[in-house]
Amino acid sequence: MATTSSIRTSVQLNGSINTGAKSQCAVKAPIRAARRSAVATCSAKTSVQKFVSEVAERAQDAGKVAAAVAASALVAGSANALTYNELQNLTYLQVKGTGIANTCPVVEGELGELKLKAGDYKVQKMCLEPTSFTVKEDAATDFVKTKLMTRLTYTLDEISADLKVGSDGSVAFKEVDGIDYAAVTVQLPGGERVPFLFTIKSFTAKGNLSQFGGDFLVPSYRGSSFLDPKGRGGSTGYDNAVALPARSDSEELEKENTKSTAVLKGSAVFNVAKYDAGTGEIAGVFESIQPSDTDLGAKVPKDIKITGLWYGQIV
């Protein structure tokens, strides 16, 4: 994590953002320094700060305060984050062990508003990089911060989608394919660990060119052939595992014996923060809420809120 923080400063996986002077002044990027020999220095009022405030206002107007916080994180690390072309030029050894493979590209330059003519488009190289995982333990509590237990392998990448823009500026978005799921485990303050499948499978959304949202499918964390410690599974293994077979159909054991791999649903909202008309690159922030693992139907799922950054290329 120490090396990763040198690549993407200011973004903490517990949801906080480091705004100390150290992250704002004289930040060196080792990977880019080898190629650019560039050092980002601090200034009183920069275009980056203006961009932060503009994106924050957009997100608040849309009722997404969490998206505004993530937008600040988007540009807080942009001084030493890497663009798509820079990432493509890195060798395996330059990426190995640095955490760069778990980050999404950034779009450099001044803030540009997304303007597209009516028609059908494709979104390629879409990437989702979470910066915060929070969990709602039950219906009566708020979302609480968590500790990430998974290594740096939770970013979704190479996602493709169909994008349709109407004459009135409306947008219809549909995810098609890609590395669109990742197994993640977080730990609650009390020590309980919550596994879930971070995904946006079959994400179908509607909105406008600045914000769109919709629902997606959340597959079962485990497959039907997975066997629990007593050898029970959905499509294989024992039907039950009790000393008295007559008790196997009792209500208290039904959830443990009858395995379910039912597909659940989640929802997400994507905000557009930056667009480069020359390259077709687009970037912004997202917020999704999805269920956690159900242990093949034996447990009631918890709500997981995920906020972070996203990137894509419109063609």
Side-chain angles (χ1 to χ4, degrees), residues 107-108 110-116 272-283 314:
V107 181
E108 289 189 334
E110 295 297 326
L111 173 65
E113 184 178 355
L114 178 59
K115 294 182 179 180
L116 296 175
V272 178
K274 217 168 187 184
Y275 175 65
D276 188 336
T279 61
E281 294 177 295
I282 186 173
I314 298 177

Side-chain angles (χ1 to χ4, degrees), residues 39-116:
V39 178
T41 57
C42 198
S43 60
K45 289 186 178 181
T46 64
S47 59
V48 171
Q49 291 172 330
K50 293 179 181 178
F51 174 52
V52 172
S53 61
E54 289 177 7
V55 175
E57 290 175 2
R58 281 189 180 185
Q60 288 173 350
D61 292 341
K64 293 293 178 182
V65 178
V69 175
S72 300
L74 171 65
V75 293
S78 62
N80 58 348
L82 303 179
T83 64
Y84 177 79
N85 289 334
E86 290 170 341
L87 286 172
Q88 298 305 305
N89 290 330
L90 295 178
T91 65
Y92 171 76
L93 292 178
Q94 286 176 311
V95 175
K96 180 183 177 182
T98 63
I100 295 177
N102 194 55
T103 62
C104 291
V106 298
V107 181
E108 289 189 334
E110 295 297 326
L111 173 65
E113 184 178 355
L114 178 59
K115 294 182 179 180
L116 296 175

Side-chain angles (χ1 to χ4, degrees), residues 66-67 76 160 191 203 238 258 278 285 299:
S160 59
F203 177 57
Y238 297 112
T258 305
V285 295
K299 298 178 180 177

Side-chain angles (χ1 to χ4, degrees), residues 5-6 9 21-29 38-42 76 79-80:
S5 61
S6 68
T9 58
K22 207 178 220 181
S23 65
Q24 297 179 6
C25 303
V27 180
K28 282 191 176 183
V39 178
T41 57
C42 198
N80 58 348

Side-chain angles (χ1 to χ4, degrees), residues 173-184:
F173 182 96
K174 185 176 182 180
E175 190 264 350
V176 177
D177 199 4
I179 306 174
D180 52 9
Y181 68 93
V184 183

